[in-house]
Amino acid sequence: MTTTSRTAVVTGAARGIGADVAKRLAADGFAVAAVDLDEAACKTVVEAIEGAGGRALAVGVDVSDENGVQAAVERIAAELGEPAVLVNNAGITRDNLLFKMSVDDWDAVMDVHLRGSFLMARAVQGYMTKAGWGRIVNLSSTSALGNRGQSNYAAAKAGLQGFTKTLALELGRFGVTANAIAPGFIETEMTAATAERMGVPFEELKAGAAAQIPVGRTGRPEDIAHAVSFLAGEGAGFVSGQVLYVAGGPQA
């Protein structure tokens, strides 16, 4: 790909899906801003990208902080290049049944997933529309279809799908596409933590999930990175406002 003059911004890039997405986009030729709450935590990802001959920048910011996001995006534009791709991947879970869920746990999930994606998209869209080219990829989830114990997370991920479709309508005429990826069960620290909360060995949880997936395995971060790579590329210019379920089988 001829993307050496373009910059991609990946939130939640310190580990898991975000780290693999950042490294894949760098391999595709993008300069990559690895954004996370803890800037130091992105050091390994940045070193891996630079070690492979790419350009990368670690940026620490709370994506739900309006002023922080604006400052971070301005820094990225000045030090790495004006953002052409945004991958809103930052996320947290605060799982509980509805009657046990606190307002703080509801708000925390909404702030990171929805407010964070809104603030990041709003901050980068000016660069994209001015350039006449841009790609926004929001990470949703199969939980958007409903998942016991995740009323906050499910609502946030469903909200991201509506947000994505609206961005596609508003930004399409400026050469900017917006799409969402909805992963199924992906082997990450987050799903491992879920197993721990459930008191179930992670391997057992994965085996149970794989038995319900048509392709017979659980997903890996690189599966999502492949999908992001396509949606962020030149070839996806006529794909916008879509939700791609990367879950090993059909979802409804």
Side-chain angles (χ1 to χ4, degrees), residues 99-115:
F99 76 98
K100 294 181 179 180
M101 185 171 292
S102 69
V103 171
D104 286 345
D105 285 347
W106 176 273
D107 288 346
V109 170
M110 292 298 164
D111 281 351
V112 174
H113 293 273
L114 280 178
R115 179 182 171 91

Side-chain angles (χ1 to χ4, degrees), residues 210-238:
Q212 304 299 316
I213 298 171
V215 300
R217 69 168 176 88
T218 50
R220 295 180 286 271
E222 58 263 34
D223 292 314
I224 307 305
H226 291 314
V228 172
S229 175
F230 167 68
L231 291 174
E234 290 284 356
F238 201 55

